[in-house]
Amino acid sequence: QYTVTVSVDDGVDDTEVSATVSVFNVAPVLMGPQDTESIEGEVLVLRAQAEDPGIVPLVWTWAFGDGSNPVTGEDLQEVQHSFPDDGQYQVQVSVSDGASSSSDTALVTVINRAPDLMQPVDLETDEGRPLLLTAMASDVPADTVTYAWDFGDGQQDIGEDLLEVSHTYADDGAYVVTV
């Protein structure tokens, strides 16, 4: 509340009157982020804007909906976040002037990233002799990598964590191994 005082003086007498002015807080106006897509494990930049007629710095809070801790602070109109797994996440941004707040949400659709697979090297062996084959794959930690080996001779081996497999070719020839 503020007191406004007006004084009038005609050179002989003066008069003074006062009134009380109540100024009410106006909530910040938030223009939140748009719905968007991302790829798991990649950094996504999210942006929002806010307007507030007051002079108090705005405090921003971003909650990403993926179990990670919210990010809070001033000047967070733009944040970067990496989603650990594919799926849909409801991202919420809030802005506060200390007395009132506004919030908005956006839907982020996170697409699965294919695992990276290192090309196996060409090998030689004798028929009837076990051959050790190695493959290296990497993916985001939230995903389970399943290896599917096709030895090119009608035999296959499928399973998790099959970075190395042993295979014996019954007959001589050139075989294309697919992982």
Side-chain angles (χ1 to χ4, degrees):
Q1 285 188 338
Y2 298 93
T3 302
V4 177
T5 304
V6 176
S7 300
V8 178
D9 186 342
D10 66 3
V12 178
D13 285 323
D14 62 353
T15 303
E16 185 175 284
V17 292
S18 297
T20 300
V21 177
S22 296
V23 179
F24 299 101
N25 183 63
V26 175
V29 176
L30 177 64
M31 284 95 26
Q34 300 295 314
D35 293 351
T36 190
E37 287 186 351
S38 184
I39 297 173
E40 66 181 353
E42 291 190 5
V43 174
L44 174 66
V45 177
L46 296 162
R47 293 177 183 87
Q49 295 179 336
E51 296 176 2
D52 188 65
I55 59 172
V56 175
L58 298 175
V59 175
W60 295 77
T61 301
W62 291 83
F64 302 102
D66 61 357
S68 63
N69 291 328
V71 176
T72 300
E74 295 178 11
D75 297 323
L76 289 178
Q77 296 89 336
E78 180 178 297
V79 294
Q80 296 181 0
H81 187 71
S82 177
F83 291 90
D85 202 8
D86 57 302
Q88 290 191 320
Y89 299 93
Q90 196 75 28
V91 175
Q92 181 176 21
V93 58
S94 300
V95 63
S96 172
D97 62 9
S100 59
S101 63
S102 297
S103 63
D104 199 0
T105 59
L107 181 66
V108 176
T109 302
V110 179
I111 300 165
N112 185 60
R113 181 181 73 95
D116 294 322
L117 180 63
M118 187 172 68
Q119 177 72 32
V121 297
D122 292 337
L123 299 171
E124 293 180 356
T125 189
D126 295 325
E127 63 185 0
R129 185 174 196 195
L131 176 66
L132 184 63
L133 299 157
T134 303
M136 296 292 290
S138 64
D139 203 355
V140 296
D143 287 353
T144 300
V145 177
T146 300
Y147 293 82
W149 290 86
D150 183 334
F151 300 106
D153 62 355
Q155 300 295 312
Q156 297 178 344
D157 199 354
I158 299 173
E160 294 177 22
D161 299 323
L162 284 179
L163 296 137
E164 292 185 341
V165 293
S166 179
H167 183 72
T168 302
Y169 288 93
D171 197 11
D172 65 327
Y175 299 93
V176 176
V177 177
T178 305
V179 181

